[in-house]
Amino acid sequence: MDVPSSWDALRKQARKLEAQLDEQMNLYRKLVSTKVSTKVDSQENDLESGIDRLLKQLQQVNMQMQDWVSSGGSEMVSHTLTRHQEILQDLTQEFYRLRSSLRAKQEHASLLEDFREFDRSRLDLEEGVDSTEHALLKEHAAISRSTGQMDSVISQAQATLGALVLQRSTFGGINSKLSNVSSRLPTVKKNEKSC
């Protein structure tokens, strides 16, 4: 990088670097918005290193401009320097934000890929046809289901038996009470026979 000797040369170099950074940042924004892969490719590396290099160069030019202003520049020159420093700060912050966003997307995609791989391996185990262990597990599950169904049927039968025994004792108690009443009251006996 040439060492400019005048304020105008420093401003031109700063504007040139800012324009290059703007162009690189636009490419990087597009990359970040469209990238879904977990792999870091050469285009991404090249863009990041190019942007990083340009940011360092712009910072050097800003430091040279600061030296120029410190040695007795006007207020207008100071204002111009402030503007270039703000542009550098904005570009640097945006670059770091985009890079962290890209890393987060890559990490998210990586986690999803790991989950899909885990899910695939689980399905392979569940659907494995030639797996003896898998066949035994399926058979055990079928036996457990059948045993549970038989227990349910037996429970229902026992509940029905209990209800029938209660019903029999209730009717037996009613019959004995009617017999007792009919032996004491003959009119009840006659009405009972006429029915």
Side-chain angles (χ1 to χ4, degrees), residues 97-111:
R97 182 186 58 79
L98 287 171
R99 187 166 57 183
S100 67
S101 174
L102 181 62
R103 298 293 182 267
K105 278 176 114 177
Q106 289 170 334
E107 186 176 324
H108 184 258
S110 174
L111 288 173

Side-chain angles (χ1 to χ4, degrees), residues 69-107:
V69 169
S70 298
S71 65
S74 69
E75 192 174 311
M76 188 172 105
V77 172
S78 177
H79 178 70
T80 305
L81 171 64
T82 303
R83 181 66 192 129
H84 284 291
Q85 288 173 335
E86 288 171 353
I87 291 171
L88 172 65
Q89 184 179 6
D90 290 346
L91 288 170
T92 304
Q93 286 177 350
E94 184 179 8
F95 174 63
Y96 289 142
R97 182 186 58 79
L98 287 171
R99 187 166 57 183
S100 67
S101 174
L102 181 62
R103 298 293 182 267
K105 278 176 114 177
Q106 289 170 334
E107 186 176 324

Side-chain angles (χ1 to χ4, degrees), residues 6-68:
S6 71
W7 176 256
D8 288 334
L10 286 170
R11 278 187 49 216
K12 282 181 185 176
Q13 192 170 7
R15 278 190 256 140
K16 179 182 172 187
L17 289 170
E18 289 167 358
Q20 289 174 345
L21 272 166
D22 228 13
E23 183 182 315
Q24 295 291 311
M25 290 294 285
N26 281 331
L27 292 172
Y28 196 62
R29 275 186 216 100
K30 287 178 186 173
L31 176 78
V32 169
S33 67
T34 59
K35 180 136 179 146
V36 288
S37 171
T38 59
K39 298 177 186 173
V40 177
D41 57 11
S42 63
Q43 180 188 15
E44 179 185 328
N45 278 336
D46 293 345
L47 267 175
E48 285 181 357
S49 61
I51 291 171
D52 202 32
R53 181 181 44 79
L54 288 171
L55 285 170
K56 286 177 183 172
Q57 288 177 357
L58 184 57
Q59 187 174 18
Q60 287 289 3
V61 171
N62 279 351
M63 287 181 1
Q64 290 173 357
M65 291 170 84
Q66 178 66 47
D67 292 343
W68 188 271

Side-chain angles (χ1 to χ4, degrees), residues 159-173:
T160 304
L161 175 65
L164 289 173
V165 167
L166 179 65
Q167 198 175 34
R168 181 179 180 186
S169 67
T170 303
F171 286 142

